[in-house]
Amino acid sequence: MTDADSSSTPEDPTPESTRRETPGGGVRPTADEIEPAAPAEFGLVQAWWGDGKGKTTASLGMAFRAAGHGYRVHVLQFLKGGADSVEGVRGEYNAIASVRGISYENTGHYGWHGLLDGSDDDEHHAKARGALARTEEILAGAADADLTEPLDPDADPEHGVNLLVLDEILYAVEQGLIDESDVLDLLDAKPENLELVLTGSHTEPAYLLDNADLVTEVRKMKHPFDAGVRARKGTEY
């Protein structure tokens, strides 16, 4: 290579310049003590739907991540009242109980609506309406709280949360247990600084496309359930 050729070759980036271009400035991630804090950029609406596995898993991942930064998090589960394929104790509940600042409620009725599994469809409907009313209560509490200041991690969720996960609420709409308009009303009632995460539904929630900031489809390519593998401890519950 001639001198002219070498002079036109860009310089290799130095470690220092590379660090300047990476998130966090190249600082290696670490763990620290969790202290109550207020998020600076919360306030979006997320929806996770599709026929693939991982919608609840994704939302719980965000919930733990937020709690790890000291934000107040609550997970309210519609429909997941249990079935004979899972045990009474779920791994995520044990994990939530061990992390300060994150809490959960399960409002579902045993079984699955419309599957003729011995559960009471009227009770599924009543439980879903109850979960909706509970959500309205939590949103009202968040609206009354100052979400720009750290919240008490040990207070009940109706005293304010930074992140609210409504797990399976989109399934409740798909099953006709609550209406699309009910969900849109919740979005209207959401305070500006509250991050709201909705999960569920195998059918596209088209009614959310103009109202949510993030909509993700979780698509199934292959699932062990199709081969007769039932819910497994540690992966599904």
Side-chain angles (χ1 to χ4, degrees), residues 37-215:
E41 300 178 309
F42 272 19
L44 302 184
V45 174
Q46 304 186 31
W48 294 73
W49 73 279
D51 65 353
K53 170 180 164 58
K55 300 178 287 295
T56 296
T57 303
S59 68
L60 288 175
M62 284 188 286
F64 279 107
R65 177 177 290 160
H69 286 295
Y71 308 152
R72 182 69 176 91
V73 180
H74 190 63
V75 179
L76 178 61
Q77 292 192 311
F78 288 65
L79 302 186
K80 284 185 174 173
D84 63 359
S85 60
V86 300
E87 297 179 11
V89 176
R90 297 180 185 171
E92 60 264 39
Y93 296 171
N94 292 342
I96 287 172
S98 70
V99 177
R100 194 180 185 202
I102 179 172
S103 53
Y104 75 90
E105 289 178 72
N106 184 306
T107 64
H109 177 53
Y110 180 87
W112 187 254
H113 176 264
L115 284 192
L116 301 178
D117 55 6
S119 61
D120 187 330
D121 282 356
D122 288 341
E123 187 64 21
H124 282 294
H125 185 272
K127 291 284 190 180
R129 299 303 303 182
L132 185 65
R134 176 59 172 156
T135 301
E136 293 169 347
E137 181 181 25
I138 294 172
L139 290 178
D144 290 339
D146 184 356
L147 301 186
T148 66
E149 294 293 330
L151 298 172
D152 182 350
D154 300 316
D156 291 334
E158 59 266 30
H159 293 297
V161 295
N162 302 116
L163 172 66
L164 177 60
V165 177
L166 300 179
D167 187 35
E168 313 291 23
I169 186 172
L170 303 183
Y171 276 129
V173 175
E174 184 180 52
Q175 293 294 110
L177 299 174
I178 61 176
D179 298 328
E180 295 176 2
S181 60
D182 292 324
V183 177
L184 297 178
D185 287 344
L186 295 179
L187 302 194
D188 288 339
K190 184 190 79 67
E192 180 180 2
N193 296 316
L194 172 68
E195 191 86 3
L196 186 62
V197 181
L198 318 173
T199 78
S201 185
H202 284 186
T203 58
E204 180 182 303
Y207 58 96
L208 286 177
L209 296 183
D210 292 332
N211 298 278
D213 301 283
L214 179 151
V215 179

Side-chain angles (χ1 to χ4, degrees), residues 3 5 13 97 131 202 232:
D3 290 343
D5 291 332
H202 284 186
R232 295 176 298 146

Side-chain angles (χ1 to χ4, degrees), residues 50-54 217-227:
D51 65 353
K53 170 180 164 58
E217 179 185 0
V218 181
R219 184 166 62 91
K220 182 184 77 171
M221 297 185 69
K222 189 175 183 180
H223 197 301
F225 181 80
D226 297 331

